[in-house]
Amino acid sequence: MKKLMKGNEAFAEAAMQAGCRCYFGYPITPQNEVPEYISWRMRDLGGVFKQAESEVASVNMVYGSAAAGVRSMTSSSGLGIALMQEGITNLCSTEIPCVFLNVSRGGPGLGTIQCSQADYNQMTRGGGNGDYYLPTYAPATMQEACDLIQKAFDTADKYRNPVGVMVDATIGNMMESVDIVENKAPDPSIPDKKEWCLQGGQRPDGSFARVKGLFNVPAESEEFVEYLGRKYDKIEKNEVMVDITDCDDADVVIVAYGTTARIAKQTIKFGKEAGIKIGMVRPQTVWPFPYAETKKACSHAKGVLCAEMAIGQLLQDVKIALEGTKPITQYHRLSGVMPSAKDMFKLCEKIAKEGK
Amino acid sequence: MLKEVIISGFGGQGSLLIGQVLAMAGVVEDKNATYRPTYGFEKRGGIAFCDVILSDEEIGSPVVEEPEAVIIMDERSFKRFEPLVKKGGVMFYNTSLVTSKPSRDDIKYYEVPCNDMAQEMGSDKVANMIMLGAYIGYSKAVAMDSVEAGLKEKLGHGKEKAIPLNRKALEAGAAISNK
Amino acid sequence: MSEMLYERTKFLTDKPTHYCPGCTHGLEHKLVGEVLEELGIIDRTIMIISVGCSAPAYDYANLDSIACLHGRAPATATGVRAALPDSILYLHQGDGDLLSIGLDETISAASRGENITVVFANNNIYGMTGGQMAATTLIGQKATTCPRGRDPKLDGYPMKACEMINTLTAPKFIAREALYDIPHINKCKKALKKAFQNQKEGKGYSFVEILSTCPTNWHMSPQASMEHVKNEMEEVYPLGVFRDED
């Protein structure tokens, strides 16, 4: 049933409808509606909400409840996510599934409370230590965010890894009608958590649950990290999501995600009016990134416009994807100064003529 | 000259200390030396071994994959490193604690009952120095005076009183391999 | 016909611990194990392990266990409690974990009155990392990061966990004990029993600080270490029950 909601509240509701029963978080603008909404709503569903003393504490509380087999999440923004980095690598090393919602704001440091896409590197390159990846969804609309946050719980459980959902503050704070799937059952392919989760008491085979990530023998650690590597290879192979429109005969291809992609839809309309064929590659997963799909989609265009609300973060992945086959023009606005569909169109006009 | 040695025991036996002393002794004699420790997070009883390389030439990799000499202070180390010794190499092992018996016929073995000998000398703490002495006596990698100088530097100020007993321990070990 | 007079607690696995000779961690685990068995709650106990010498304690415990990030055990325990309301949670933490990197989590969980039992092994030094100064290191005590002895002008004074937690409203039981002779071991076990009894009854936060030894990093023999606890540590950290509320 469609309902007009505020972004942050819709995402919270969607998460709980996907079975999230533990939430721990700390206030930070622009995502405060998430803990506020959950603080009253979670009780209706028999779950637990706690406001933690910091983001550091939040991620460690999630570690505890998720290790006990309960679908758990936290949310934050920018530097709050930065504080959680140790917690994220710990979750990867202990193979504990959970969901991180990042409603990203301007950075670096305290930055601004306005929207940005400057957490791209933090989510995809890892701000934490060691060999790990955080599969991250990058929805462009509130509806897509609700759907992908529900999917994120499945992905996390499927691979026993934390999963991120990154929206910018615009998507978090706006209002729009959404249709949230209610009582969404977990994907049936997910194995029984009781095989590894904390329960208290001996398991039928006589063993006990051991949730740990510290190794004392180099060879054992190497074996485990190699296994993690194979896991991430599998995720790269199977979990890429990308939305490709009008690229087959495009003169220019825009690569953008989130709100920037939504704004770029207007740019594409300008193109249609002016007879310039503009296509778009919109990654819906920023890790794993659709490298092959992007290269293929851009193969006919004269040039590529990489548009983001950050300085050259998405750009790195576009460069990797294209392998030098196309000239790339960069466009960015920062810290809540919104990308302009018109400015992007002016650049597309130039690219359509000269390639860049 | 090139000496590639692995010294291994459990945490607390002083395997790493004699590795450092050996490396320092090499530096005293103007040789190139590297010392690479590997240890677990336990303060006592964990894995503790080091790769020591002494060379007249510049040293490339500090990792000794095929040691020509291996110094073993405990049972676990014996099992781990016996298979790795280079053909024609040598293994010194602490018979006070090691129960395994030599299984190769292409390397030389020296039995050194370090802990028993140390007790007879009046201090458990010098067991590792007896073992180092056994290696020095065999390999002549460095002079005993250089080892003493290295030990002096390692122990630091105020510990000079410990030197004579340690020297005695070194000589006692050397006597075994000099035979 | 022989009669079994004393059995090792089934809390402990057969694996010999890695703890140093004279370290009290092993004894602390044993006492907790006996208490959990006597209270009939061992089958639903989960061990919340911290970073420090007790980091590999999951190898010694016949319990579900979770190894936490440094200082975060009380937060992780809060999460486990949210997911498993009927579980018994046994936290075992050292100085650095409880009073330095984890100070926020320690005070916040105590202030929230989380229904957990925290066992604090206070040995005035950082053991696992090789003997650095701790928040609880005594004035004048030497450590690798205060080789001339702790100087209050540089590093302030020892932090007293029981006294700090005693300023909060929510905690139900706060005690400090030692293990340097049989009467004290018995008193310590009694305190641990009360602390876990509280959790069993859902009463709320219980805290037991145990003056512990670290012979290796104190450069003392095990016997001298116990003497040190009795003669020097107890002067700064008085023993007793600070709070025992219903």
Side-chain angles (χ1 to χ4, degrees):
Chain A
M1 205 197 85
K2 277 200 167 216
K3 198 173 168 205
L4 184 73
M5 291 182 83
K6 190 163 192 184
N8 287 333
E9 295 180 346
F11 314 147
E13 182 65 35
M16 288 183 279
Q17 292 297 337
C20 174
R21 287 296 176 267
C22 279
Y23 173 94
F24 308 99
Y26 189 78
I28 181 171
T29 312
Q31 57 87 59
N32 294 320
E33 294 86 356
V34 178
E36 285 165 2
Y37 182 85
I38 297 178
S39 71
W40 64 264
R41 180 76 172 113
M42 188 63 97
R43 196 175 299 164
D44 297 344
L45 302 164
V48 175
F49 163 90
K50 261 204 200 249
Q51 179 174 317
E53 56 269 27
S54 69
E55 287 87 348
V56 168
S58 303
V59 65
N60 283 282
M61 290 180 185
V62 166
Y63 174 48
S65 60
V70 173
R71 283 194 159 182
S72 310
M73 74 177 278
T74 183
S75 59
S76 190
S77 176
L79 62 180
I81 297 282
L83 281 177
M84 294 183 182
Q85 291 298 344
E86 184 198 41
I88 294 173
T89 88
N90 182 52
L91 287 155
C92 291
S93 82
T94 51
E95 295 197 273
I96 299 299
C98 64
V99 171
F100 286 83
L101 173 64
N102 180 358
V103 185
S104 58
R105 62 188 252 175
L110 287 159
T112 72
I113 60 168
Q114 312 301 331
C115 91
S116 92
Q117 292 180 319
D119 280 356
Y120 186 93
N121 278 349
Q122 184 174 205
M123 300 297 276
T124 64
R125 294 300 185 271
N129 64 303
D131 288 312
Y132 76 96
Y133 289 98
L134 185 69
T136 300
Y137 293 102
T141 64
M142 271 178 54
Q143 180 64 55
E144 192 171 38
C146 291
D147 296 336
L148 288 179
I149 205 172
Q150 294 191 324
K151 187 176 168 77
F153 282 98
D154 277 347
T155 307
D157 283 349
K158 215 160 120 194
Y159 295 97
R160 287 189 59 191
N161 203 78
V163 169
V165 179
M166 180 169 60
V167 295
D168 47 68
T170 300
I171 308 176
N173 291 342
M174 65 188 284
M175 295 188 78
E176 206 171 28
S177 291
V178 285
D179 193 350
I180 296 171
V181 175
E182 285 175 22
N183 298 312
K184 185 160 193 303
D187 186 311
S189 70
I190 293 167
D192 186 4
K193 286 186 177 179
K194 286 207 158 60
E195 289 174 19
W196 53 266
C197 75
L198 300 172
Q199 294 162 74
Q202 212 163 11
R203 287 182 284 199
D205 66 355
S207 66
F208 291 96
R210 293 270 182 275
V211 180
K212 67 146 188 132
L214 174 63
F215 289 85
N216 206 15
V217 177
E220 285 174 12
S221 177
E222 185 187 44
E223 193 186 332
F224 176 72
V225 181
E226 289 273 23
Y227 153 79
L228 276 188
R230 291 193 295 275
K231 184 199 286 195
Y232 295 124
D233 286 342
K234 216 166 148 202
I235 297 175
E236 279 185 299
K237 200 156 159 256
N238 298 323
E239 303 299 330
V240 166
M241 283 180 72
V242 61
D243 177 21
I244 298 176
T245 42
D246 299 337
C247 288
D248 287 342
D249 58 349
D251 300 316
V252 186
V253 172
I254 302 175
V255 184
Y257 70 95
T259 296
T260 309
R262 227 178 149 170
I263 296 171
K265 277 197 171 158
Q266 182 60 50
T267 304
I268 294 174
K269 275 205 193 121
F270 290 151
K272 284 205 169 93
E273 289 159 14
I276 297 174
K277 298 205 183 99
I278 305 174
M280 180 152 69
V281 172
R282 181 175 75 83
Q284 293 161 295
T285 53
V286 286
W287 197 94
F289 191 86
Y291 292 120
E293 294 85 348
T294 302
K295 186 176 182 188
K296 185 158 177 261
C298 296
S299 53
H300 303 289
K302 292 211 183 77
V304 171
L305 177 67
C306 173
E308 58 181 321
M309 292 190 271
I311 304 179
Q313 293 191 30
L314 169 67
L315 178 64
Q316 287 172 44
D317 275 335
V318 175
K319 281 183 179 170
I320 293 173
L322 295 181
E323 292 178 315
T325 53
K326 297 285 163 188
I328 308 171
T329 304
Q330 220 199 126
Y331 171 77
H332 62 244
R333 296 312 308 250
L334 309 168
S335 308
V337 179
M338 302 307 288
S340 153
K342 224 186 248 175
D343 287 349
M344 285 196 278
F345 176 66
K346 286 204 193 99
L347 289 171
C348 287
E349 278 185 311
K350 208 158 165 282
I351 295 169
K353 282 206 205 93
E354 303 157 26
K356 56 179 165 56
Chain B
M1 133 335 169
L2 173 67
K3 299 283 178 210
E4 292 181 312
V5 188
I6 290 182
I7 308 171
S8 179
F10 60 73
Q13 287 185 299
S15 314
L16 302 188
L17 187 140
I18 56 176
Q20 289 172 51
V21 169
L22 179 58
M24 283 170 169
V27 172
V28 162
E29 291 183 9
D30 254 335
K31 295 182 167 50
N32 291 314
T34 59
Y35 156 83
R36 186 189 75 97
T38 300
Y39 45 83
F41 53 61
E42 309 93 322
K43 201 55 190 159
R44 290 285 179 269
I47 297 167
F49 72 88
C50 55
D51 304 23
V52 180
I53 304 176
L54 299 175
S55 176
D56 292 324
E57 314 285 315
E58 195 181 319
I59 296 171
S61 167
V63 180
V64 177
E65 285 182 53
E66 255 197 308
E68 28 118 359
V70 143
I71 298 171
I72 298 300
M73 295 297 287
D74 76 324
E75 175 69 17
R76 180 176 52 193
S77 302
F78 187 102
K79 292 206 176 89
R80 178 181 186 156
F81 289 106
E82 193 195 23
L84 300 182
V85 182
K86 219 185 238 179
K87 205 168 155 184
V90 62
M91 189 153 147
F92 300 82
Y93 66 104
N94 179 7
T95 42
S96 300
L97 291 180
V98 174
T99 50
S100 285
K101 295 283 170 251
S103 69
R104 291 175 62 174
D105 56 10
D106 58 348
I107 64 174
K108 200 170 160 81
Y109 293 86
Y110 280 99
E111 297 180 6
V112 187
C114 332
N115 292 93
D116 295 310
M117 289 171 69
Q119 265 195 357
E120 276 169 32
M121 286 181 142
S123 169
D124 287 326
K125 286 190 187 168
V126 298
N128 59 344
M129 296 307 285
I130 294 169
M131 187 57 99
L132 179 60
Y135 170 71
I136 301 293
Y138 167 85
S139 68
K140 315 275 191 279
V142 286
M144 213 48 107
D145 283 346
S146 306
V147 179
E148 189 179 316
L151 179 65
K152 225 179 245 169
E153 193 180 329
K154 175 66 193 166
L155 293 181
H157 280 308
K159 297 272 168 62
E160 289 83 6
K161 272 191 276 194
I163 300 294
L165 179 60
N166 278 282
R167 180 64 186 247
K168 198 167 156 221
L170 285 166
E171 303 289 4
I176 293 177
S177 53
N178 269 331
K179 267 193 257 157
Chain C
M1 175 73 189
S2 57
E3 186 201 330
M4 179 69 77
L5 293 173
Y6 172 76
E7 235 181 321
R8 200 175 61 153
T9 169
K10 71 177 193 183
F11 171 102
L12 292 170
T13 65
D14 286 334
K15 186 164 183 178
T17 72
H18 74 290
Y19 298 126
C20 296
C23 170
T24 44
H25 273 309
L27 178 55
E28 289 156 15
H29 292 324
K30 187 186 93 158
L31 292 177
V32 169
E34 288 176 357
V35 157
L36 293 174
E37 279 200 78
E38 287 164 22
L39 291 172
I41 52 178
I42 195 168
D43 288 331
R44 51 189 169 106
T45 302
I46 297 177
M47 190 166 175
I48 313 285
I49 293 164
S50 59
V51 170
C53 286
S54 66
Y58 43 74
D59 280 338
Y60 312 137
N62 282 316
L63 295 179
D64 279 2
S65 46
I66 177 167
C68 305
L69 285 168
H70 201 14
R72 315 301 170 210
T76 303
T78 300
V80 178
R81 167 65 67 224
L84 299 174
D86 296 327
S87 56
I88 299 292
L89 305 179
Y90 160 36
L91 283 73
H92 193 101
Q93 297 179 266
D95 325 10
D97 211 79
L98 194 105
L99 286 178
S100 291
I101 189 168
L103 185 60
D104 189 0
E105 280 70 41
T106 296
I107 298 298
S108 297
S111 188
R112 284 194 303 267
E114 297 291 344
N115 188 29
I116 59 180
T117 304
V118 179
V119 177
F120 172 35
N122 177 6
N123 61 12
N124 295 4
I125 204 144
Y126 282 17
M128 184 200 220
T129 46
Q132 297 83 19
M133 182 178 64
T136 48
T137 296
L138 305 178
I139 299 298
Q141 181 181 348
K142 293 199 174 114
T144 62
T145 46
C146 56
R148 296 180 190 83
R150 182 179 188 153
D151 176 0
K153 282 202 224 91
L154 283 174
D155 297 304
Y157 295 84
M159 242 190 238
K160 303 186 191 181
C162 286
E163 289 82 343
M164 279 169 62
I165 293 172
N166 205 19
T167 66
L168 305 168
T169 306
K172 291 296 178 201
F173 182 78
I174 304 169
R176 179 184 289 128
E177 303 296 345
L179 300 168
Y180 53 75
D181 57 31
I182 306 290
H184 283 87
I185 292 175
N186 288 337
K187 263 203 208 136
C188 182
K189 184 172 170 179
K190 202 161 163 243
L192 289 168
K193 197 157 189 177
K194 186 76 214 296
F196 280 100
Q197 176 84 33
N198 278 357
Q199 200 188 147
K200 181 181 177 183
E201 293 169 13
K203 282 222 185 105
Y205 185 90
S206 296
F207 182 80
V208 179
E209 177 178 343
I210 306 178
L211 297 186
S212 306
T213 56
C214 185
T216 301
N217 289 306
W218 291 351
H219 305 290
M220 294 180 194
S221 71
Q223 296 96 313
S225 303
M226 284 303 195
E227 298 291 320
H228 175 73
V229 173
K230 184 172 167 193
N231 299 331
E232 277 93 41
M233 278 174 77
E234 196 177 329
E235 243 189 79
V236 177
Y237 297 101
L239 305 181
V241 176
F242 289 75
R243 185 188 297 190
D244 185 1
E245 257 175 43
D246 272 315

